[in-house]
Protein backbone atom coordinates (compact mmCIF):
# COMPACT_ATOMS: atom_id res chain seq x y z
CA UNK A 1 0.00 0.00 0.00
CA UNK A 2 1.28 3.48 -0.90
CA UNK A 3 0.69 6.10 1.80
CA UNK A 4 1.62 9.77 2.02
CA UNK A 5 1.57 11.59 5.36
CA UNK A 6 1.33 15.36 4.93
CA UNK A 7 2.87 17.11 7.92
CA UNK A 8 6.02 16.12 9.80
CA UNK A 9 5.07 17.10 13.32
CA UNK A 10 5.30 14.58 16.13
CA UNK A 11 2.12 12.66 15.31
CA UNK A 12 2.58 12.65 11.54
CA UNK A 13 6.16 11.45 11.90
CA UNK A 14 5.17 8.76 14.41
CA UNK A 15 2.41 7.38 12.21
CA UNK A 16 4.69 7.38 9.16
CA UNK A 17 7.34 5.51 11.14
CA UNK A 18 4.78 2.97 12.35
CA UNK A 19 3.36 2.32 8.88
CA UNK A 20 6.76 1.95 7.23
CA UNK A 21 8.21 -0.34 9.89
CA UNK A 22 8.48 -4.08 9.21
CA UNK A 23 5.92 -5.92 11.35
CA UNK A 24 7.72 -9.25 11.50
CA UNK A 25 4.56 -11.18 10.69
CA UNK A 26 5.19 -14.58 9.12
CA UNK A 27 8.90 -13.84 9.22
CA UNK A 28 8.62 -10.78 6.96
CA UNK A 29 11.41 -8.26 7.30
CA UNK A 30 10.25 -5.94 4.50
CA UNK A 31 8.32 -2.75 5.30
CA UNK A 32 4.56 -3.18 5.55
CA UNK A 33 3.84 -0.21 3.29
CA UNK A 34 5.54 2.26 0.97
CA UNK A 35 5.32 5.50 2.95
CA UNK A 36 6.24 9.09 2.10
CA UNK A 37 6.45 11.82 4.74
CA UNK A 38 5.88 15.30 3.29
CA UNK A 39 6.79 18.55 5.08
CA UNK A 40 6.40 22.17 4.02
CA UNK A 41 9.55 23.40 5.83
CA UNK A 42 12.55 22.95 3.51
CA UNK A 43 15.01 23.04 6.40
CA UNK A 44 13.09 20.30 8.21
CA UNK A 45 12.94 18.18 5.07
CA UNK A 46 16.71 18.40 4.64
CA UNK A 47 17.29 17.56 8.31
CA UNK A 48 15.03 14.52 8.08
CA UNK A 49 16.68 13.32 4.89
CA UNK A 50 20.21 13.64 6.20
CA UNK A 51 19.86 12.96 9.93
CA UNK A 52 17.04 10.39 9.65
CA UNK A 53 15.45 11.62 12.87
CA UNK A 54 12.98 14.39 13.69
CA UNK A 55 14.97 16.09 16.44
CA UNK A 56 12.52 19.00 16.65
CA UNK A 57 9.27 17.09 17.10
CA UNK A 58 10.15 13.46 17.85
CA UNK A 59 13.74 13.23 19.14
CA UNK A 60 15.32 9.85 19.67
CA UNK A 61 13.25 8.03 17.04
CA UNK A 62 15.13 6.83 13.97
CA UNK A 63 13.29 7.01 10.65
CA UNK A 64 13.20 3.61 8.89
CA UNK A 65 15.39 3.48 5.80
CA UNK A 66 12.30 2.74 3.71
CA UNK A 67 10.53 5.95 4.76
CA UNK A 68 10.84 8.55 1.99
CA UNK A 69 10.90 12.26 2.92
CA UNK A 70 9.77 14.93 0.47
CA UNK A 71 8.61 18.54 0.54
CA UNK A 72 10.04 21.99 0.91
CA UNK A 73 7.65 23.64 -1.54
CA UNK A 74 3.96 23.72 -2.38
CA UNK A 75 4.77 22.53 -5.89
CA UNK A 76 6.06 19.25 -4.50
CA UNK A 77 2.76 18.48 -2.76
CA UNK A 78 0.97 17.48 -5.96
CA UNK A 79 3.85 15.15 -6.81
CA UNK A 80 3.80 13.64 -3.33
CA UNK A 81 0.08 12.76 -3.40
CA UNK A 82 0.13 11.43 -6.96
CA UNK A 83 -0.18 7.68 -7.25
CA UNK A 84 -0.89 7.11 -3.55
CA UNK A 85 -3.49 4.71 -2.15
CA UNK A 86 -4.13 6.74 1.01
CA UNK A 87 -3.52 10.37 1.95
CA UNK A 88 -3.06 11.33 5.61
CA UNK A 89 -3.37 14.96 6.74
CA UNK A 90 -1.16 15.40 9.82
CA UNK A 91 -1.56 19.15 10.15
CA UNK A 92 -3.17 21.39 12.81
CA UNK A 93 -6.87 22.17 12.40
CA UNK A 94 -5.91 25.69 11.33
CA UNK A 95 -4.40 24.26 8.13
CA UNK A 96 -7.21 21.82 7.35
CA UNK A 97 -9.34 24.11 5.17
CA UNK A 98 -6.57 25.10 2.76
CA UNK A 99 -5.23 21.55 2.53
CA UNK A 100 -8.68 20.04 1.91
CA UNK A 101 -9.18 22.55 -0.89
CA UNK A 102 -5.94 21.35 -2.47
CA UNK A 103 -7.02 17.71 -2.09
CA UNK A 104 -10.66 18.14 -3.11
CA UNK A 105 -10.21 16.22 -6.37
CA UNK A 106 -8.33 13.28 -4.85
CA UNK A 107 -9.75 9.94 -5.94
CA UNK A 108 -8.29 7.92 -3.05
CA UNK A 109 -9.28 7.96 0.64
CA UNK A 110 -8.13 10.96 2.68
CA UNK A 111 -7.98 11.06 6.48
CA UNK A 112 -6.90 13.68 8.99
CA UNK A 113 -5.27 13.36 12.40
CA UNK A 114 -6.33 16.84 13.58
CA UNK A 115 -8.32 17.19 16.81
CA UNK A 116 -10.14 20.43 17.41
CA UNK A 117 -12.40 23.14 16.02
CA UNK A 118 -11.43 25.64 13.37
CA UNK A 119 -11.12 29.20 14.61
CA UNK A 120 -14.31 31.20 13.89
CA UNK A 121 -14.35 32.56 10.37
CA UNK A 122 -14.35 36.32 9.92
CA UNK A 123 -16.71 35.91 7.00
CA UNK A 124 -18.38 32.55 6.54
CA UNK A 125 -18.82 31.29 2.96
CA UNK A 126 -22.26 31.97 1.56
CA UNK A 127 -22.88 28.22 1.25
CA UNK A 128 -21.99 27.57 4.89
CA UNK A 129 -24.49 26.56 7.52
CA UNK A 130 -25.43 28.95 10.30
CA UNK A 131 -22.96 27.19 12.60
CA UNK A 132 -20.01 28.29 10.46
CA UNK A 133 -19.56 31.52 12.41
CA UNK A 134 -18.77 29.41 15.46
CA UNK A 135 -15.95 27.48 13.79
CA UNK A 136 -16.16 23.93 12.49
CA UNK A 137 -14.92 20.43 13.06
CA UNK A 138 -12.82 19.10 10.19
CA UNK A 139 -15.57 16.90 8.74
CA UNK A 140 -17.75 20.02 8.55
CA UNK A 141 -14.98 21.90 6.74
CA UNK A 142 -14.73 19.03 4.27
CA UNK A 143 -18.47 19.29 3.61
CA UNK A 144 -17.92 22.92 2.58
CA UNK A 145 -14.77 22.75 0.46
CA UNK A 146 -14.37 19.12 -0.68
CA UNK A 147 -17.85 17.67 -0.73
CA UNK A 148 -17.01 14.76 -3.04
CA UNK A 149 -13.93 13.67 -1.11
CA UNK A 150 -14.09 10.27 0.55
CA UNK A 151 -12.61 11.15 3.89
CA UNK A 152 -12.47 10.46 7.60
CA UNK A 153 -10.46 10.80 10.80
CA UNK A 154 -8.01 8.63 12.72
CA UNK A 155 -8.34 9.39 16.42
CA UNK A 156 -8.10 7.92 19.89
CA UNK A 157 -5.74 7.80 22.89
CA UNK A 158 -2.29 8.04 21.36
CA UNK A 159 0.90 9.81 22.39
CA UNK A 160 3.13 10.10 19.32
CA UNK A 161 6.26 8.99 21.14
CA UNK A 162 4.72 5.72 22.30
CA UNK A 163 3.38 4.90 18.83
CA UNK A 164 6.79 5.61 17.32
CA UNK A 165 8.39 3.30 19.88
CA UNK A 166 5.98 0.53 18.95
CA UNK A 167 4.23 0.50 22.32
CA UNK A 168 0.67 -0.94 22.34
CA UNK A 169 -1.94 1.58 21.18
CA UNK A 170 -5.58 1.44 20.01
CA UNK A 171 -7.16 3.96 17.63
CA UNK A 172 -10.48 4.57 15.89
CA UNK A 173 -10.93 5.04 12.14
CA UNK A 174 -14.13 7.04 11.67
CA UNK A 175 -15.86 7.87 8.42
CA UNK A 176 -19.25 7.64 6.76
CA UNK A 177 -17.44 5.86 3.91
CA UNK A 178 -16.64 2.17 4.47
CA UNK A 179 -13.82 2.45 1.93
CA UNK A 180 -12.04 5.02 4.11
CA UNK A 181 -12.44 2.99 7.28
CA UNK A 182 -11.13 -0.11 5.54
CA UNK A 183 -8.14 1.76 4.11
CA UNK A 184 -7.15 3.11 7.53
CA UNK A 185 -7.41 -0.31 9.15
CA UNK A 186 -5.36 -1.86 6.34
CA UNK A 187 -2.75 0.88 6.58
CA UNK A 188 -2.13 1.04 10.32
CA UNK A 189 -3.52 -2.03 12.08
CA UNK A 190 -0.65 -4.23 13.21
CA UNK A 191 0.92 -6.16 16.08
CA UNK A 192 1.19 -3.11 18.37
CA UNK A 193 -1.35 -0.72 16.82
CA UNK A 194 -4.99 -1.79 16.77
CA UNK A 195 -7.45 0.19 14.66
CA UNK A 196 -11.21 -0.09 15.19
CA UNK A 197 -13.74 1.14 12.61
CA UNK A 198 -16.59 3.49 13.51
CA UNK A 199 -19.11 5.32 11.31
CA UNK A 200 -19.89 8.01 13.92
CA UNK A 201 -17.45 10.63 12.69
CA UNK A 202 -19.30 13.39 14.57
CA UNK A 203 -18.83 11.66 17.92
CA UNK A 204 -15.22 10.75 17.26
CA UNK A 205 -14.32 14.30 16.25
CA UNK A 206 -16.16 15.93 19.15
CA UNK A 207 -14.37 13.63 21.59
CA UNK A 208 -11.00 14.43 20.06
CA UNK A 209 -11.64 18.16 20.22
CA UNK A 210 -13.27 18.60 23.62
CA UNK A 211 -10.89 16.34 25.55
CA UNK A 212 -8.09 18.85 24.90
CA UNK A 213 -10.05 21.60 26.67
CA UNK A 214 -10.90 19.31 29.58
CA UNK A 215 -7.25 18.27 29.89
CA UNK A 216 -6.32 21.91 30.57
CA UNK A 217 -8.80 21.93 33.45
CA UNK A 218 -7.43 18.67 34.84
CA UNK A 219 -3.86 19.93 34.58
CA UNK A 220 -4.92 23.01 36.50
CA UNK A 221 -6.49 20.83 39.16
CA UNK A 222 -3.34 18.73 39.53
CA UNK A 223 -1.10 21.80 39.43
CA UNK A 224 -3.00 23.24 42.37
CA UNK A 225 -2.58 19.89 44.17
CA UNK A 226 -6.29 19.50 44.77
CA UNK A 227 -6.06 15.72 44.93
CA UNK A 228 -7.18 12.63 43.06
CA UNK A 229 -10.82 13.04 44.10
CA UNK A 230 -10.99 16.39 42.33
CA UNK A 231 -9.27 14.96 39.26
CA UNK A 232 -11.77 12.10 39.05
CA UNK A 233 -14.67 14.51 39.40
CA UNK A 234 -13.36 16.76 36.62
CA UNK A 235 -12.81 13.87 34.22
CA UNK A 236 -16.24 12.38 34.93
CA UNK A 237 -18.14 15.64 34.68
CA UNK A 238 -16.04 16.60 31.68
CA UNK A 239 -17.14 13.42 29.94
CA UNK A 240 -20.75 14.43 30.59
CA UNK A 241 -20.11 17.83 28.99
CA UNK A 242 -18.44 16.23 25.99
CA UNK A 243 -21.32 13.81 25.53
CA UNK A 244 -23.98 16.53 25.76
CA UNK A 245 -22.30 18.59 23.05
CA UNK A 246 -21.72 15.58 20.83
CA UNK A 247 -25.30 14.36 21.03
CA UNK A 248 -26.56 17.87 20.27
CA UNK A 249 -24.40 17.84 17.13
CA UNK A 250 -25.80 14.48 16.03
CA UNK A 251 -23.38 11.97 17.56
CA UNK A 252 -24.28 8.72 19.31
CA UNK A 253 -23.90 8.84 23.10
CA UNK A 254 -22.15 5.46 23.23
CA UNK A 255 -19.27 6.76 21.14
CA UNK A 256 -18.11 8.82 24.12
CA UNK A 257 -17.57 5.77 26.31
CA UNK A 258 -15.13 4.39 23.71
CA UNK A 259 -11.55 5.06 22.67
CA UNK A 260 -12.11 8.46 21.07
CA UNK A 261 -14.14 9.74 24.04
CA UNK A 262 -13.36 8.39 27.49
CA UNK A 263 -10.12 6.75 26.35
CA UNK A 264 -8.62 9.88 24.82
CA UNK A 265 -9.91 12.04 27.67
CA UNK A 266 -8.25 9.91 30.36
CA UNK A 267 -4.95 9.81 28.45
CA UNK A 268 -4.81 13.52 27.71
CA UNK A 269 -6.00 14.61 31.14
CA UNK A 270 -3.60 12.42 33.13
CA UNK A 271 -0.61 11.58 30.92
CA UNK A 272 2.63 13.49 31.42
CA UNK A 273 3.21 13.64 27.65
CA UNK A 274 0.02 15.68 27.19
CA UNK A 275 0.62 19.24 25.99
CA UNK A 276 -2.86 20.36 26.99
CA UNK A 277 -2.45 18.98 30.51
CA UNK A 278 0.86 20.82 30.70
CA UNK A 279 -0.90 24.09 29.88
CA UNK A 280 -3.04 23.67 32.99
CA UNK A 281 -0.07 22.66 35.13
CA UNK A 282 1.92 25.73 34.10
CA UNK A 283 -1.01 28.12 34.54
CA UNK A 284 -1.41 26.75 38.05
CA UNK A 285 2.19 27.80 38.71
CA UNK A 286 1.29 31.39 37.95
CA UNK A 287 2.74 31.58 34.45
CA UNK A 288 0.97 33.71 31.87
CA UNK A 289 -0.61 32.09 28.84
CA UNK A 290 2.05 33.69 26.61
CA UNK A 291 4.80 32.18 28.74
CA UNK A 292 3.10 28.78 28.65
CA UNK A 293 2.74 28.75 24.86
CA UNK A 294 6.34 29.85 24.37
CA UNK A 295 7.60 27.02 26.57
CA UNK A 296 5.59 24.28 24.83
CA UNK A 297 7.20 24.36 21.39
CA UNK A 298 4.23 22.39 20.00
CA UNK A 299 0.59 23.19 19.29
CA UNK A 300 -1.82 22.66 22.21
CA UNK A 301 -5.15 22.53 20.37
CA UNK A 302 -7.20 22.99 23.54
CA UNK A 303 -5.98 26.57 23.86
CA UNK A 304 -7.11 27.46 20.36
CA UNK A 305 -10.47 25.68 20.30
CA UNK A 306 -11.75 26.23 23.86
CA UNK A 307 -13.67 29.38 22.96
CA UNK A 308 -15.18 27.69 19.90
CA UNK A 309 -16.33 24.74 21.98
CA UNK A 310 -18.15 27.10 24.35
CA UNK A 311 -19.63 29.16 21.51
CA UNK A 312 -21.03 26.14 19.69
CA UNK A 313 -22.38 24.71 22.93
CA UNK A 314 -24.11 28.01 23.73
CA UNK A 315 -25.63 28.11 20.26
CA UNK A 316 -27.12 24.67 20.91
CA UNK A 317 -28.26 25.45 24.43
CA UNK A 318 -25.74 22.99 25.93
CA UNK A 319 -24.20 23.73 29.33
CA UNK A 320 -20.44 23.24 29.56
CA UNK A 321 -19.30 24.84 32.83
CA UNK A 322 -15.83 23.26 32.84
CA UNK A 323 -15.09 24.46 29.32
CA UNK A 324 -16.46 27.90 30.21
CA UNK A 325 -14.11 28.13 33.18
CA UNK A 326 -11.18 27.16 30.96
CA UNK A 327 -12.02 29.96 28.54
CA UNK A 328 -12.26 32.48 31.38
CA UNK A 329 -8.90 31.27 32.68
CA UNK A 330 -7.22 31.53 29.28
CA UNK A 331 -8.71 35.00 28.77
CA UNK A 332 -7.31 36.14 32.11
CA UNK A 333 -10.77 36.76 33.56
CA UNK A 334 -10.22 34.17 36.29
CA UNK A 335 -7.15 33.22 38.27
CA UNK A 336 -6.44 29.47 38.61
CA UNK A 337 -7.90 29.18 42.14
CA UNK A 338 -10.93 31.24 41.08
CA UNK A 339 -11.60 28.94 38.13
CA UNK A 340 -11.70 25.91 40.40
CA UNK A 341 -13.85 27.76 42.95
CA UNK A 342 -16.31 28.68 40.19
CA UNK A 343 -16.72 24.99 39.32
CA UNK A 344 -16.99 23.69 42.87
CA UNK A 345 -19.35 26.47 43.86
CA UNK A 346 -22.04 25.59 41.30
CA UNK A 347 -25.53 24.72 42.50
CA UNK A 348 -26.22 21.00 43.12
CA UNK A 349 -27.80 19.04 40.29
CA UNK A 350 -28.88 15.50 39.54
CA UNK A 351 -26.37 12.98 38.20
CA UNK A 352 -26.15 11.93 35.39
CA UNK A 353 -26.70 15.03 33.30
Amino acid sequence: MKIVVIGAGAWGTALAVSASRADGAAGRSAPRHQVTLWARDAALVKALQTGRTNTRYLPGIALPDSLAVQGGSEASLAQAVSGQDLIIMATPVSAARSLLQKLQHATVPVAWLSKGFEAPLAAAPSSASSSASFGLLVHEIRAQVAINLRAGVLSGPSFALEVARGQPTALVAASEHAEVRDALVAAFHGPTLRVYANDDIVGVEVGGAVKNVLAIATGLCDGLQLGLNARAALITRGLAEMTRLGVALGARAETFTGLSGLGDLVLTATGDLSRNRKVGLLLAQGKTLAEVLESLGHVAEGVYCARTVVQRAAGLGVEMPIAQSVVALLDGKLQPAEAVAALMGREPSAEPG
Side-chain angles (χ1 to χ4, degrees), residues 67-221:
L67 177 58
V69 179
Q70 296 180 10
S73 69
E74 283 294 325
S76 68
L77 180 59
Q79 180 182 357
V81 301
S82 178
Q84 302 290 342
D85 300 310
L86 175 64
I87 300 171
I88 300 295
M89 297 167 45
T91 60
V93 172
S94 58
R97 180 175 294 270
S98 62
L99 184 52
L100 282 168
Q101 288 173 330
K102 294 182 177 70
L103 298 174
Q104 63 179 301
H105 300 301
T107 58
V108 299
V110 174
W112 48 86
L113 309 180
S114 318
K115 297 177 180 180
F117 286 83
E118 183 182 42
L121 301 175
S126 58
S127 61
S129 68
S130 59
S131 63
S133 60
F134 292 120
L136 304 177
L137 292 160
V138 182
H139 77 272
E140 295 173 312
I141 300 172
R142 182 208 64 82
Q144 287 186 356
V145 303
I147 192 169
N148 295 318
L149 201 65
R150 290 163 294 161
V153 62
L154 189 64
S155 190
S158 50
F159 286 140
L161 183 60
E162 293 190 1
V163 170
R165 287 173 174 169
Q167 293 178 267
T169 303
L171 299 174
V172 176
S175 175
E176 61 184 357
H177 306 285
E179 177 187 356
V180 177
R181 301 193 298 269
D182 292 346
L184 288 169
V185 172
F188 300 111
H189 191 91
T192 62
L193 185 59
R194 297 189 61 81
V195 182
Y196 295 86
N198 191 321
D199 63 358
D200 183 11
I201 191 170
V202 178
V204 169
E205 283 218 278
V206 170
V210 177
K211 59 93 181 181
N212 287 326
V213 181
L214 301 174
I216 295 174
T218 311
L220 178 69
C221 170

Side-chain angles (χ1 to χ4, degrees), residues 19-39:
S20 58
R21 183 184 288 134
D23 61 16
R28 292 197 303 266
S29 59
R32 288 194 298 151
H33 303 292
Q34 183 176 329
V35 185
T36 299
L37 181 61
W38 186 91

